[in-house]
Structure formats: structure tokens, C-alpha cells
Amino acid sequence: MAAPLIVARDLSKTFLVARRRGGALGALRGLVDRGGTEVHAVAGVSFGVGRGELLAFVGPNGAGKSTTIKMLTGILVPSAGEATVDGLVPWKQRKRLARRIGVVFGQRTQLWWDLPLIESLELLRHVYRVPADRFRSNLAAMRELLALDPFLATPVRQLSLGQRMRGDLAAAVLHDPPLLYLDEPTIGLDLVAKARVREFLAEINRDRGVTVLLTTHDLADVEALCRRMIVIDRGRLLYDGAIDDLRRRYGTHRTLVVDRDGGAWDVAPPLPGAELVKTEGPRAWLRFDRQKVSAADLIAAVAAGAPLRDVAIEEPAIEEIVRRIYGEGTGAAVAEDARSGRTASSGGTLPADEPDRDAPRIIPRSP
Amino acid sequence: MRLYLEVARLSFRRHLAYRAATIAGLFTNSVFGVLIAAVFTALYRDRAGDVAGFSLPEALTFVWASQSLITFAALWGWWEIATAIKTGDVVADLMKPFSFQGYWLSRDLGRAACHFLLRMLPTFLVGGLFYDLALPRSPLTWLAVAPSLVLAVVVSFGWRFVLNLSAFWLLDHRGISSIAVLVVNFFSGFLVPLAFFPPELRAVTNLLPFRAIVMLPIEILLGQRAVAPALGIQLFWAVALALLAQAVLASAVRKVVIQGG
Amino acid sequence: MGRVSELMDELTVCGHLAAARVRSEMQYRLSFALQIVGTFGFYTIYFLSIFILFGHFETMGGWRVGEIAFLFGLAGLSFGIAHMVAGGFASFSDLIVRGEFDRVLLRPVGAILQVIATGVQLRNLGDVLQGMVVLGVALRLVAIDWTLGRLLYFPVVVLSIALLFVSLFALQATLCFWTTEATEVANAFTYGGRDLARYPIHIFDGWLRRLFLFVIPVGLVVYAPSLYLLDKTDPLDLPTWTRFVAPVAGLAFALLAGAAWRLGVRHYRSTGT
């Protein structure tokens, strides 16, 4: 295997957060005296990323995932540790690295707000000094892949969020970067737009060999796209590995969904190791521990009680597993937890509404 | 009435929060005060005696009073309503069962009250501490300054209110803003006391509302002008601009109704 | 050689970025036109004010109206150029607060060049034009003995003043890497420096004069060279060589600002998304 594209060793970022002082005098003193508390936004993170990988950074807001990415792009200088990206040290060789990476921020566009989309793309051609023929063929490919044509001449401020994201994706890859970072690329998008973004990422990863590293708290992104994920919380890695592994190791519970032939369900779980989650008309959901009972046995037992029309087995939802990892703080504890069979709450996405812990506070100016 | 008092109180408290900006602003106003005071001092050093009815202490009082008025009377603009119009928040405010104009006037008076304490008084105190100012001896004069300052804010508000409403018609207020600043700076007597103006130019300033914002309160402070007529002029402009603002607002509302925002 | 061509490439890119910025500004045509008129008028009324004052006073610290007008024009023209170039620094706190400096660091172009290029303020063309007009008026009021030395030194002085003010705006921007709360303080030095530059510096006393002569060398780039250009005697008795160090003062201050900026970038904290 070729040398890895990204190597991070003991990467750390500590912010000094100024104490908030009361009163006008306090505010003035805050300018001079920078005393404050240290916040370890990223505390000794190590990992490697191989060429052609498509992996996700998962964690709640303030977990340190954005800070990690910002160190790997050269925006932030780490407090300790080292990293190379494509052989370059990001914060020392920022400009050279900039030509080899594309970056998309879900909540901020890099397009020129008042200008038509096509003008932004043309400008980026100059910024990255993309040869004209290369630009032409890339633009043609992006127009096709992202269906940009209907709004290519529209000022960016008039685009919908989904259209703008498509524009931003095109903008990020026009200079053929071998590595693409995306920070919350699907945030705020509707389902159709989300699907389009995922499709695009899968395609450039597969067809162009672009290495993709994305942060998200929508685990549906991860399930749809990635084979590997890194779970991070409070600045530390909690898990780094294949999603299937995660499921195998921590997700011992599966759900059997059975459709009864006529009539509603009124049965109790027929075997030890399985419990009835809910019923809805002829359909029932049975949660079972695959270490205690095999799916075949369970189906046979249920079928003995009532005629079945259809059966399906659902894998454990990733978010349920990840939620447990956060809850316990370390992978080892999660494994314990999984074995003890405690139930975890389920839900669509991870908590996103808590205030950023790693972000330095910047107070808007008075009007 | 209670409602408007409450609006003013909330606005007062909101502006109280910008403490760092207050210190920074006081510093900046003071530096400019020192700078302009030095200019007048140099001019008077070369030519002794009163000029255009101003002695040097009176000129210095003018310098520090005018610096104090910048934030208090929001001389250099204020675009909160224009912003509310752009974001569309204004529609909700227009629907509410109170006077839109009264609501914003209350907010602005609350703001001015806060800036009186945080910006105006400290700036003027700095001037008083380091310079020989011509301050009135009679408490009656100080008493007359108070309503004059209130009227200055009301006149300034009327003018700014009309300017803000232009956002109903124009996409971008930066152009209007840059013209408005220079008009106020010059015709209010902020840069040079109007008494120094040549007669033809003075005739023009007499026809405009802007002297009610800066020059008249300062002339009352300096005892250069009879109090009652000065307050009368300020009151006239306060009412006239309020009526104009009402008319402009009415046509803006018609536009909103027709276009649906 | 490689570094030179690299710099040329970056400047070309910045040309495109600046052009885009101007196109964006032009989107609001009426507003843009009004702003040019506004900036022109803004400095015109300041100048008018001085004329009004000089209707009552003969001299200011021994300087006549034409000589003061010369300072106004020189300072106005040079500051106008600086303001046009350094608009991105002047509004840098917005860039930081909105988190958009991240994007600057993600592009393969030097950060200083980008901030300048993406913040060009064409509307400040009004100041530049106004400075030229005032200079024109001044040159009608005072007779300058245009020796070759003066003729050559004049543009150098203009550029030195502009460089000093660009650097001051850059320092103001650098402050934003630490705090965005109290940047108004910097206005006292940028706009305050501009206002001070319009008058002979000997009329200011004590700390204010020392500050703007030796710490922020506004006096060295405007007042001292003007003594030479206008052939004036100096009540401060500054050594004669100080009249010719404007470019040195400008460059030294620019280097200082550049060093502070680099320190600031390393300190950049970025707002969390």
C-alpha cells in the first residue's frame, strides 16, 4: 500500500478562553491581561487516512472534529503534535497544500454572494490557476453530475440552500484536489438534496479516486457513504474503524420485523433473548440478542404461533451505537454496556444544539 | 403609554451591555476632542479676542459638547429599522397594535438615555477636567439644556426614521447613509459653529432642521441664545419631521400592502 | 526567480479577486454612485470648514490657509489611496466574526494580498479625487518652488503616507486576532492620524505630538516632508534630515505591521462552525 495521505500524531489544540470580567474596567483589562482557562478542544488525536478512502468524523458539536479538520487544512496551528497531509505540514506549507485540497463548509459558502455562480467558478479557476482545458472538462462534468445548468447564471444570493451546496461542491473540486474535506455538508438540506450530495461524494470517490473526509452529525450520511468512521468526543478519539466492525462489536441487538398473515398481533415474545418493541396492525418488531438466540430459531418460533407473510432483519442503527459510545466515554465501557444488554434510546440524529465547546467566544460588535 | 415606557426601558438596558465598546468609544471621542481642541487653540493663539462671538473657552466648550453629542444624538447614522425592513421583521411590527413610529421613538429615547450616561457625560467630563471650558453659572441654564437635549434626539430621530424608511424602496442603504452623514456633519454645526458661517450659508442652515440637533443645544449651554425661542425652533422641527415621517410611513405601508411585503 | 514569478502569479490572481469585488459593489449602482459622491462630499465639507474658519483667522500656528490646504490635500489624497487599498483591513473584524477568514487561509494565495484584494473599496475613489482637487486649490494659493528634488520627492511622500496608513489599518486588523470587542480604539489612530495629518504637527502639544511623531510616524511622513516642499521653517527644530525619511518611516512601519500580522495569523482561533 502507498504511503497514507494523512498522518496525524498526538494532534492537540488548546484554546485559552478569556475570563469574562464584569464591568467596563474588566473589559478593558481583558485586552491586556489574557489570563483565562484552558480548553482542550483536541487532546492528542492520532490517525491515518489512506488514499482513496471515504471516511467520516462523527461527534457532537464541540467534540473537536472541526478543530481537527482546521488543523489538517492549515487554518489552525496545533498546540502540540504533528501532522502531514500529502507529505506537507499544513500550517507550515499552507499555500502549497491549498492547491491539493478542496474544502466545503456546510454553513458557509465560498461563492461570491452577489455574483452569478458561473463567475464564482471562473474566479476560482484563476485562484487555483487551473489550465483552461482542464477547467472546461471539469466544469462540463460538474454541470452534468450536479445539474448546475438551471442556475449557473443566477446570483448566489438567490440560490436555494441545496443549489448553493451543489455550487459549493463544484467549486471545491474544480482544481482536481486529491483530497476533499467537508464540514457538515448536508446540514439544513432536505432529503432529496441530501441524497444528491451523497451521490456526488460517492461518485467522485469511486470514479476520480478523490479521498473524502467529512464531518457530520447526520449518521445517515455515514451509513450511506462510508466504510470507516472516527468517533470523537471531548477532543479524544473514541472509535476508529470499520462501521461493520462497530456493529459487530457493539451492536449485538437486531430487530426482526414480521408481517402476520391476517389479524393483529397480541403475542408476548415467544423466546428468551427477544422482546416485543411494538406492533402496528399486522406488523411486529422484535428485538433480539444474536448471542442468545439465532434469527432462524426466533423466526421458527414466531411462525409456529401465527402464519407469516413476510420477514426481515434490521441491523442495529449506527446512531444507537454511537450514542452509547458517547454515553460511556470509552470504547471499552461501550462493549461492557452492549453485553449487559441495556437498552439505548433511539433517534434520528445526534444532539446538535448544544453550544460549541471548542469554539472561542467572539462577541459581535455593538451596532 | 406604559408600553412605550417599557420599550424605552428595555432598549436602555440592551445598550447598557456594550461595555467594552463604551470604553473604546470614550477613548476615541476623547482623542478627537483633544485634537480639535488643539486646532482651535492654535487659531486663537494667532489672533487674540473673541471671534464670531466665541471666546477660546467657548470654542473649546463647543468642541467637547459636539464630541459628546455624536453617539447621544446618533449623528452618524443608525440603521436598525432599515435592517428590520430588509429582514422582513418589520411586517410583524407593523401589524402590532401600537404606533410603529412611537415604538421606534421609544426605543431611540431609551438608547439615547443610555448613551447620555455612558458616552455623553464621560466625554464631556474629560473635556471639563483637562480644559478651561465656559460652563454656565446659572442652574437655570443647565435646566434649559435638558429639554433641548431631548428635543435634539427627537429631531434627529425624525430625520433618521425617514432615512430608514427609504429601505422600503432602495435595496442598499449605504449610499444614502454616506450622503446623510456629511449633510448632518456640516449643516448641524458639528464641524464648525454655525456662527462662523458666512451670512448666505447661515441663511440656508436656518431653513434646515439640522441645527436643532447640535448647534441649538450648544448655544443654549453657552448662553448665546434666548432659551424659549431656541426650544421653540427645536419643537417646530420635531413636530414637522414627525409629520413628514408619518406621511412617508403611510406610503411605505401602502406599498407593503400592495406588494405583500 | 521562482519567488518573483510566484509573486507575479499571486498578484494576477489578486487582480481577478479585486475585479470581482468591484463587480459585486457595482451590483447596487445607485448606492455605489451615491457613496462616491458621499466620500467626495465628506472630505469636501471638512475642507470647507477650514475655509470658513480661515474667514475669521489669518493663520494657524503661523501657517496660512494655502499651506493648510496643501496639508489637507496631501493627507486626503494619500489617505484616500490607503483607504481604497486597505478597506479589507478596516472591516476585518466582520471577516473574523463571520468566520470567513478560514476561507482566506484555504486559498493558495498570501493572506495579506487576499484581504487587500477582496476588500478593495472603489467607492473611496471619492476621497482620492477630493484630495486631488484640494491639492489643486492649494497649489493656486501657495507658490511652491518646484525644484527637481521636490518634484521627485512629492510622489514618494504620497506613497509613504499611503503605506503608513495601510499599515495602520493592518495593525487594526491584526488586533482582531485577539479581540473584536474594542477595535473602535484603533479608529483614534487611523482616522485620528488622518485628521491630525491635516494640520502642522507643532500645534499639538505634549504626548499627542510625540505619539504621532515617534510611535506612529504620521508627522514624519506628512509634516516633515511638507516643511521641505513648502520651504517652511520648523518651530519644533527637528533635524533637517527628518524631512527626507518619509519612505524609511513608511517602510519600517509596514515591516512592523507585517511582523505583527504574521504573529496574529498564528494566533488565529477561527470560530467554530
Side-chain angles (χ1 to χ4, degrees):
Chain A
M1 199 181 118
L5 189 60
I6 301 177
V7 180
R9 221 171 279 126
D10 287 327
L11 214 49
S12 300
K13 183 70 185 177
T14 305
F15 289 113
L16 202 59
V17 176
R19 264 192 302 273
R20 306 288 306 163
R21 293 182 180 80
L25 262 181
L28 194 68
R29 267 175 47 215
L31 288 179
V32 190
D33 166 22
R34 302 304 300 173
T37 41
E38 288 192 340
V39 174
H40 301 280
V42 175
V45 162
S46 305
F47 60 90
V49 178
R51 283 175 203 278
E53 276 200 74
L54 199 168
L55 89 150
F57 256 65
V58 174
N61 266 0
K65 53 192 198 303
S66 289
T67 305
T68 306
I69 292 221
K70 282 173 182 170
M71 288 190 280
L72 293 177
T73 52
I75 293 176
L76 289 176
V77 181
S79 315
E82 46 197 278
T84 55
V85 177
D86 206 4
L88 301 173
V89 178
W91 52 95
K92 287 184 182 151
Q93 291 156 296
R94 179 182 71 71
K95 282 196 275 178
R96 280 180 68 191
L97 179 65
R99 291 164 171 284
R100 305 190 202 171
I101 58 176
V103 182
V104 175
F105 293 119
Q107 286 161 315
R108 269 187 244 137
T109 182
Q110 72 155 319
L111 307 167
W112 277 255
W113 196 243
D114 285 320
L115 300 181
L117 174 59
I118 183 68
E119 284 198 42
S120 286
L121 300 178
E122 290 274 358
L123 266 167
L124 289 168
R125 167 168 94 82
H126 294 298
V127 169
Y128 288 96
R129 286 165 255 176
V130 184
D133 51 340
R134 192 70 207 143
F135 175 75
R136 225 173 301 122
S137 69
N138 276 348
L139 181 61
M142 290 307 136
R143 280 165 61 175
E144 162 108 35
L145 196 53
L146 291 162
L148 302 179
D149 283 355
F151 50 90
L152 211 48
T154 312
V156 172
R157 61 169 190 272
Q158 292 169 14
L159 298 184
S160 74
L161 200 59
Q163 290 172 329
R164 213 182 71 202
M165 178 48 66
R166 276 141 72 190
D168 261 306
L169 289 171
V173 298
L174 274 177
H175 58 290
D176 291 314
L179 171 61
L180 182 61
Y181 295 104
L182 306 103
D183 197 11
E184 302 288 355
T186 57
I187 201 159
L189 299 184
D190 61 46
L191 286 174
V192 180
K194 273 184 187 179
R196 206 189 267 271
V197 170
R198 288 174 193 150
E199 232 169 78
F200 171 82
L201 293 179
E203 199 151 334
I204 58 159
N205 177 254
R206 190 180 57 235
D207 296 352
R208 297 180 167 228
V210 176
T211 308
V212 179
L213 203 165
L214 64 108
T215 75
T216 181
H217 47 246
D218 186 348
L219 287 159
D221 289 343
V222 183
E223 286 201 271
L225 282 172
C226 309
R227 274 191 297 132
R228 176 183 168 198
M229 71 192 265
I230 289 178
V231 181
I232 186 166
D233 190 30
R234 288 160 225 254
R236 290 177 189 285
L237 289 197
L238 297 187
Y239 178 82
D240 176 0
I243 292 169
D244 291 344
D245 265 356
L246 189 73
R247 226 181 239 138
R248 216 170 300 134
R249 280 171 60 194
Y250 305 136
T252 54
H253 285 92
R254 269 137 219 259
T255 305
L256 176 70
V257 186
V258 284
D259 282 5
R260 193 189 151 133
D261 213 5
W265 285 95
D266 46 4
V267 285
L271 274 182
E275 59 178 309
L276 183 68
V277 179
K278 60 173 179 176
T279 58
E280 232 177 67
R283 179 168 292 185
W285 282 263
L286 299 162
R287 214 168 105 90
F288 67 100
D289 184 338
R290 66 186 162 95
Q291 288 174 340
K292 292 184 182 153
V293 59
S294 79
D297 289 348
L298 188 57
I299 294 168
V302 177
L308 298 182
R309 189 191 297 155
D310 200 4
V311 215
I313 295 175
E314 284 180 357
E315 290 289 308
I318 277 281
E319 59 238 34
E320 193 173 317
I321 297 167
V322 169
R323 199 178 285 276
R324 284 200 216 172
I325 300 181
Y326 295 155
E328 298 305 319
T330 69
V334 175
E336 283 296 323
D337 180 38
R339 267 192 292 281
S340 75
R342 257 195 285 154
T343 53
S345 60
S346 61
T349 55
L350 297 169
D353 49 359
E354 54 173 304
D356 269 13
R357 254 178 278 146
D358 66 342
R361 294 222 297 155
I362 292 188
I363 311 296
R365 288 188 309 169
S366 61
Chain B
M1 199 58 213
R2 278 189 74 123
L3 169 77
Y4 296 110
L5 273 176
E6 185 61 15
V7 167
R9 201 179 64 83
L10 284 175
S11 167
F12 178 88
R13 294 193 45 171
R14 193 165 66 86
H15 282 90
L16 215 50
Y18 299 115
R19 293 208 178 101
T22 300
I23 297 277
L26 176 61
F27 175 76
T28 308
N29 289 154
S30 299
V31 169
F32 277 92
V34 170
L35 210 144
I36 302 166
V39 170
F40 275 94
T41 308
L43 286 169
Y44 274 86
R45 204 182 287 138
D46 288 6
R47 182 194 188 286
D50 287 12
V51 178
F54 275 74
S55 65
L56 174 61
E58 284 174 325
L60 295 180
T61 310
F62 159 81
V63 169
W64 285 96
S66 55
Q67 284 298 312
S68 312
L69 278 166
I70 295 173
T71 322
F72 171 72
L75 293 187
W76 294 345
W78 162 90
W79 297 96
E80 283 186 35
I81 305 178
T83 311
I85 292 170
K86 268 194 198 162
T87 58
D89 294 348
V90 77
V91 178
D93 285 345
L94 283 170
M95 304 284 207
K96 283 178 192 157
F98 54 61
S99 151
F100 182 73
Q101 201 173 341
Y103 164 75
W104 279 101
L105 177 61
S106 311
R107 277 185 68 153
D108 198 49
L109 286 172
R111 174 202 63 73
C114 180
H115 283 157
F116 176 78
L117 289 177
L118 292 185
R119 302 291 292 262
M120 184 163 191
L121 269 188
T123 306
F124 200 68
L125 272 175
V126 170
L129 279 177
F130 295 98
Y131 289 84
D132 177 22
L133 301 187
L135 298 177
R137 299 225 161 72
S138 156
L140 282 178
T141 312
W142 286 110
L143 224 58
V145 169
S148 179
L149 286 178
V150 175
L151 284 170
V153 174
V154 177
V155 173
S156 156
F157 169 78
W159 161 249
R160 285 177 281 128
F161 189 74
V162 173
L163 285 183
N164 271 269
L165 292 184
S166 72
F168 276 109
W169 291 273
L170 297 173
L171 272 175
D172 186 64
H173 67 250
R174 283 176 301 181
I176 292 271
S177 161
S178 70
I179 302 283
V181 168
L182 76 93
V183 167
V184 172
N185 267 354
F186 191 66
F187 290 107
S188 69
F190 171 77
L191 290 175
V192 180
L194 298 181
F196 285 75
F197 279 36
E200 310 79 42
L201 216 50
R202 285 205 75 172
V204 176
T205 61
N206 286 344
L207 297 175
L208 296 171
F210 307 110
R211 65 181 169 143
I213 303 173
V214 174
M215 209 60 237
L216 291 178
I218 295 180
E219 285 176 348
I220 290 178
L221 178 76
L222 292 173
Q224 293 178 339
R225 190 181 274 272
V227 172
L231 291 178
I233 298 170
Q234 284 187 296
L235 189 64
F236 167 77
W237 282 115
V239 173
L241 281 173
L243 290 176
L244 173 68
Q246 216 164 39
V248 175
L249 179 63
S251 92
V253 169
R254 265 198 306 280
K255 180 174 178 291
V256 172
V257 172
I258 291 165
Q259 300 187 351
Chain C
M1 194 56 221
R3 292 193 66 158
V4 172
S5 73
E6 170 73 17
L7 183 67
M8 292 313 290
D9 278 355
E10 287 200 12
L11 287 176
T12 313
V13 171
C14 285
H16 288 291
L17 290 175
R21 157 82 180 179
V22 171
R23 279 205 301 283
S24 294
E25 277 195 285
M26 298 280 205
Q27 294 279 309
Y28 308 95
R29 259 166 229 285
L30 175 64
S31 188
F32 182 72
L34 284 178
Q35 285 177 70
I36 291 205
V37 174
T39 49
F40 186 91
F42 189 78
Y43 293 100
T44 303
I45 56 153
Y46 269 88
F47 185 58
L48 215 59
S49 303
I50 275 296
F51 260 90
I52 288 173
L53 282 176
F54 269 89
H56 302 269
F57 300 91
E58 291 275 296
T59 58
M60 177 195 286
W63 287 47
R64 309 197 147 271
V65 66
E67 292 159 341
I68 300 288
F70 179 79
L71 287 182
F72 257 72
L74 179 63
L77 166 64
S78 319
F79 183 86
I81 294 171
H83 209 193
M84 197 158 74
V85 171
F89 290 134
S91 60
F92 192 66
S93 63
D94 295 343
L95 207 70
I96 293 276
V97 169
R98 291 198 304 258
E100 283 170 16
F101 189 63
D102 283 4
R103 184 51 71 182
V104 169
L105 291 178
L106 289 174
R107 297 198 166 132
V109 182
I112 292 186
L113 283 179
Q114 273 188 82
V115 172
I116 288 177
T118 54
V120 166
Q121 301 255 45
L122 200 61
R123 60 169 179 262
N124 285 322
L125 209 56
D127 313 15
V128 178
L129 291 174
Q130 208 276 338
M132 288 178 174
V133 170
V134 173
L135 261 181
V137 172
L139 293 180
R140 292 185 69 98
L141 293 172
V142 285
I144 292 184
D145 176 17
W146 286 110
T147 59
L148 184 64
R150 290 204 175 93
L151 216 50
L152 290 177
Y153 194 39
F154 181 77
V156 174
V157 171
V158 169
L159 291 180
S160 305
I161 302 172
L163 186 61
L164 176 72
F165 279 107
V166 169
S167 311
L168 270 176
F169 279 118
L171 277 178
Q172 175 180 15
T174 301
L175 187 64
C176 299
F177 289 119
W178 284 274
T179 175
T180 49
E181 280 183 68
T183 49
E184 197 188 335
V185 167
N187 287 354
F189 304 107
T190 49
Y191 299 102
R194 171 202 64 193
D195 283 9
L196 182 130
R198 295 172 177 153
Y199 305 101
I201 203 165
H202 68 262
I203 70 163
F204 303 101
D205 36 35
W207 59 272
L208 192 64
R209 184 170 72 216
R210 279 193 289 278
L211 174 71
F212 281 100
L213 258 179
F214 304 119
V215 185
I216 301 165
V218 170
L220 287 182
V221 294
V222 187
Y223 172 74
S226 298
L227 292 172
Y228 164 66
L229 294 168
L230 297 171
D231 201 15
K232 295 281 291 179
T233 51
D234 175 20
L236 293 178
D237 279 328
L238 295 172
T240 314
W241 56 262
T242 55
R243 299 175 183 195
F244 305 100
V245 294
V248 181
L251 278 173
F253 206 77
L255 288 177
L256 183 86
W261 170 269
R262 274 187 291 280
L263 190 71
V265 172
R266 284 190 63 83
H267 225 274
Y268 177 55
R269 298 157 67 113
S270 174
T271 50
T273 21

